[in-house]
Amino acid sequence: MLKTLEIQNIALIDKASLTFQDGLTVLTGETGAGKSVIVTAISLILGGRTDRDVIRYGEKFGKVEALFDISSMPTTYKKEFDEYIKDKKISIKREIPVTGKSKILISNIPSTLSELRELTAPIAEILGQHANQLLMHEENHINFLDNFANLTDLKNSVKTKFHLWKESSDQLKKTISKRDTYKSERELLLFQQKEIFDAEIQVGETENILAEKKILDSSRSLMNSAHTISEIIENDETSSLSLLQTALKELEKMHEVDSSLTKQVEELTDIVYRVGDIKQFIENYGSSIVDDPMRIEEINKRLDELYLLKKKYGGSEESILTALENINIALTKIPTDIDSYIEKLEKETNSFFLAYSKEAISLSETRKKASEYLEKLVQKELAELSIANCGFEIEFIYEDDPSGVPLENHTVKPTENGLETARILFSANRGEPLKSLVKTASGGEISRLLLALKSAEKKNKKLPHALLVFDEVDAGIGGQTAVDVAKKIKKLSSDNQMLVITHLHQIAREADNHFAAQKTTCSDNRTVINVVNLDPIGKDAELKRMIALPE
């Protein structure tokens, strides 16, 4: 039950503070007086979406606060939302800034929009022209039945099982259609894996064997050069080494006379030794050179192999090894035994289909039983709303599917919402055949049918003291019909807190509490909306205004 509603900077409301009582509360006012702003504020509290245009012009934020008494709610609700309940009450605050992120606090605990909707769904509901419009589209009719029968959990379970089956079924079809492709892909990957693995690629190998090849290609030239160098250094008495040795002997004689030549003797001695070392190295180098045509042929073959692998796998030894890693990963994603994998998928798909079928059939049976009960309740409710002897029936529609779910004498196409859709058939007059509601009902009949459906749903669910907001769903009616609707709303308010936005004085007369929306001009010459809780005198004046009687 809604206890208080605080509104600040929403549309033309500067500040408003409303206190609600149990029973029937009405909100009236001239057309354009701002009654819809109250509905907007309550919608925000219930998790409705909005944009920043709802904020009063010139203000930095808009804010709505509400306090709900949930003492009469079922124990299951209290357990589920225990963290938010303080002294059997739940407070909700929603602030919408002009810039930045909006803020939601439930009993001072920061919360999300989805959490707010889940919390408020059992304790409050808004029925407006939008609900009337939903009735005018047949695809929504099944939802009215499901809401009546409280089938949300079963529908969610059916939906979950449908998607498990659908995903598995799609994967099975895809795998079967790609059976040959998978096999070809796997064969190619295995070939590529073996090709690279057998090549024993080493990073830098090309550079190394090219250097070796260069030497082998020049082996004879290198040997000739080594021989020539060796002869120049030491071959006869005129070789460079012999001449240096002779020069060293003469310098040593000079040193015996002049000791200042010690450094020069040491340096020339070092040169003689170094030339000798070079001679020895060149001789060894020359003898190490191999003239090996077979090795050259091996190198050329290896270079050709590396060239082809680089051309296929990216241009370098590193890219070839990276390609091998990717091939290994790709092989893990392709079933090693595609036929066994398909068999496994078939078993899995059949299992999911059986699980879905079982619950979908259960949903169908529950809907059928619920529809029979709903038809009786609605006809009774409509009789109290000046549509006596009417016809109301829920027709189930099935789409045949040879591979679908067996249901009675045929097989039915499965969907995430179950095995059937539904449409409401209606006749407001005795003797007239039932026709689709969307083709035969008037606006006033739609309004009354919505009220009858809601009354039937509340009787079936037996959740007392929830807030029901009726936003001008009485459109298109008047006279005695309006009186009957007023009585029905009054009766419904005995088990529910009702807030009705109306232009009908017949409904307003039944109110336990009466608010009136009025537009005034404030001191800064701006228009504001005031919501006044009327006393008996004010209520009488407002009723006279509604029926255009002088006060």
Side-chain angles (χ1 to χ4, degrees):
M1 173 177 145
L2 178 62
K3 299 293 290 183
T4 61
L5 182 67
E6 306 284 338
I7 307 171
Q8 183 176 355
N9 299 334
I10 299 294
L12 294 180
I13 292 183
D14 179 16
K15 286 185 180 180
S17 179
L18 285 71
T19 300
F20 293 89
Q21 305 296 326
D22 204 354
L24 175 59
T25 298
V26 299
L27 174 61
T28 62
E30 294 282 2
T31 299
K35 299 184 295 297
S36 62
V37 181
I38 304 301
V39 179
T40 298
I42 294 176
S43 174
L44 291 173
I45 285 297
L46 302 184
R49 293 192 178 277
T50 187
D51 55 43
R52 287 166 176 77
D53 290 341
V54 76
I55 301 172
R56 189 167 184 248
Y57 177 74
E59 301 296 339
K60 295 181 179 179
F61 67 92
K63 183 169 65 175
V64 184
E65 297 183 61
L67 180 66
F68 286 90
D69 182 339
I70 53 86
S71 57
S72 63
M73 292 300 292
T75 303
T76 52
Y77 178 88
K78 295 174 183 176
K79 286 183 179 179
E80 184 177 0
F81 300 106
D82 177 67
E83 64 176 315
Y84 297 120
I85 299 172
K86 311 295 181 186
D87 298 325
K88 299 182 180 180
K89 295 180 177 62
I90 293 176
S91 63
I92 299 171
K93 177 180 178 180
R94 189 167 178 189
E95 187 173 306
I96 306 157
V98 172
T99 59
K101 191 176 181 180
S102 62
K103 182 190 299 183
I104 297 173
L105 294 176
I106 304 177
S107 297
N108 292 321
I109 300 173
S111 303
T112 65
L113 202 59
S114 60
E115 289 170 339
L116 177 60
R117 289 172 180 164
E118 184 180 3
L119 173 88
T120 58
I123 61 176
E125 182 179 1
I126 297 176
L127 295 170
Q129 290 300 315
H130 176 66
N132 281 14
Q133 293 167 9
L134 289 178
L135 267 177
M136 293 305 294
H137 295 276
E138 287 184 350
E139 63 268 22
N140 300 315
H141 289 181
I142 193 76
N143 295 327
F144 284 93
L145 173 62
D146 291 341
N147 287 336
F148 167 78
N150 200 24
L151 295 177
T152 300
D153 291 342
L154 183 54
K155 280 180 66 176
N156 288 340
S157 180
V158 166
K159 185 175 183 178
T160 298
K161 288 179 171 58
F162 173 83
H163 285 293
L164 286 173
W165 164 71
K166 191 70 168 60
E167 289 170 9
S168 181
S169 177
D170 289 346
Q171 181 62 30
L172 174 61
K173 292 175 183 176
K174 176 183 176 183
T175 305
I176 290 174
S177 68
K178 293 190 67 176
R179 185 199 306 254
D180 294 338
T181 303
Y182 277 143
K183 287 183 177 180
S184 299
E185 287 178 356
R186 183 170 179 79
E187 288 174 1
L188 175 60
L189 290 171
L190 287 172
F191 170 79
Q192 292 174 333
Q193 182 189 56
K194 185 176 186 304
E195 180 180 48
I196 297 174
F197 183 79
D198 291 347
E200 298 181 348
I201 299 297
Q202 300 292 327
V203 175
E205 181 182 3
T206 302
E207 184 179 352
N208 292 335
I209 62 175
L210 280 173
E212 183 183 357
K213 182 178 183 300
K214 185 177 181 181
I215 292 172
L216 288 171
D217 287 341
S218 305
S219 59
R220 293 185 181 183
S221 174
L222 290 171
M223 285 188 288
N224 290 335
S225 295
H227 178 71
T228 301
I229 293 171
S230 179
E231 286 188 339
I232 291 172
I233 292 175
E234 185 178 26
N235 184 33
D236 52 32
E237 293 181 355
T238 61
S239 67
S240 58
L241 183 57
S242 297
L243 293 173
L244 285 171
Q245 289 172 339
T246 300
L248 177 59
K249 289 179 181 179
E250 294 300 320
L251 184 59
E252 287 174 340
K253 290 178 183 179
M254 294 170 65
H255 177 257
E256 291 175 358
V257 178
D258 185 354
S259 59
S260 66
L261 297 174
T262 299
K263 181 178 179 183
Q264 284 69 29
V265 171
E266 292 175 349
E267 290 178 348
L268 186 55
T269 300
D270 182 58
I271 290 171
V272 170
Y273 283 127
R274 289 174 66 186
V275 171
D277 290 341
I278 290 173
K279 170 185 170 294
Q280 186 63 45
F281 172 80
I282 291 298
E283 288 177 349
N284 292 337
Y285 176 81
S287 62
S288 69
I289 297 298
V290 178
D291 185 9
D292 190 349
M294 292 184 65
R295 175 57 182 161
I296 293 176
E297 185 177 352
E298 289 176 2
I299 289 175
N300 287 333
K301 287 182 179 179
R302 181 60 172 173
L303 287 172
D304 288 342
E305 181 182 22
L306 291 173
Y307 171 78
L308 291 174
L309 289 173
K310 288 178 183 178
K311 188 175 181 180
K312 287 177 68 175
Y313 300 112
S316 67
E317 287 101 341
E318 291 89 343
S319 64
I320 297 172
L321 294 175
T322 299
L324 179 60
E325 292 177 4
N326 293 333
I327 289 168
N328 292 335
I329 293 171
L331 281 168
T332 64
K333 297 179 180 180
I334 298 179
T336 55
D337 186 345
I338 190 68
D339 294 323
S340 296
Y341 181 60
I342 288 174
E343 184 179 349
K344 176 187 173 184
L345 278 176
E346 286 174 340
K347 291 179 180 179
E348 180 184 85
T349 301
N350 288 335
S351 176
F352 285 142
F353 183 73
L354 289 174
Y356 166 81
S357 298
K358 182 178 179 180
E359 292 228 336
I361 291 172
S362 176
L363 177 60
S364 291
E365 292 172 346
T366 305
R367 280 171 170 167
K368 187 174 181 180
K369 291 178 182 178
S371 69
E372 295 171 357
Y373 183 39
L374 177 60
E375 288 167 1
K376 293 178 182 177
L377 283 179
V378 169
Q379 285 178 335
K380 182 180 178 182
E381 295 292 334
L382 288 174
E384 298 177 3
L385 292 169
S386 298
I387 311 182
N389 301 312
C390 69
F392 176 89
E393 185 179 302
I394 294 176
E395 178 186 35
F396 292 109
I397 302 168
Y398 305 91
E399 183 177 347
D400 289 337
D401 181 353
S403 60
V405 178
L407 186 68
E408 297 178 352
N409 299 324
H410 49 236
T411 53
V412 178
K413 181 179 179 179
T415 75
E416 66 176 9
N417 294 315
L419 304 177
E420 60 273 306
T421 57
R423 64 176 176 177
I424 296 174
L425 302 180
F426 180 73
S427 171
N429 302 297
R430 185 195 299 272
E432 290 297 315
L434 290 169
K435 295 181 181 179
S436 172
L437 174 73
V438 303
K439 296 179 180 179
T440 188
S442 66
E445 288 165 348
I446 288 290
S447 297
R448 282 177 283 174
L449 181 55
L450 180 64
L451 180 56
L453 284 168
K454 184 52 59 177
S455 297
E457 180 185 333
K458 288 299 175 181
K459 285 181 179 179
N460 191 47
K461 290 185 177 180
K462 297 179 181 178
L463 292 178
H465 299 295
L467 170 65
L468 289 179
V469 180
F470 283 85
D471 183 16
E472 298 189 13
V473 295
D474 50 20
I477 62 174
Q480 183 58 45
T481 299
V483 173
D484 294 336
V485 169
K487 289 179 180 178
K488 173 56 64 178
I489 290 175
K490 180 67 173 180
K491 183 178 179 180
L492 191 57
S493 71
S494 63
D495 289 323
N496 302 275
Q497 183 187 27
M498 305 281 290
L499 172 59
V500 181
I501 290 82
T502 183
H503 288 286
L504 296 178
H505 68 88
Q506 294 94 329
I507 294 177
R509 288 180 185 279
E510 298 290 340
D512 299 304
N513 313 286
H514 194 150
F515 289 98
Q518 304 167 350
K519 279 185 179 179
T520 60
T521 303
C522 58
S523 57
D524 60 357
N525 205 32
R526 291 185 62 186
T527 301
V528 296
I529 296 171
N530 291 322
V531 181
V532 181
N533 191 352
L534 300 177
D535 58 18
I537 296 175
K539 178 178 179 180
D540 184 62
E542 177 65 4
L543 289 172
K544 289 180 179 179
R545 180 199 66 77
M546 295 177 75
I547 58 177
L549 289 178
E551 299 184 12

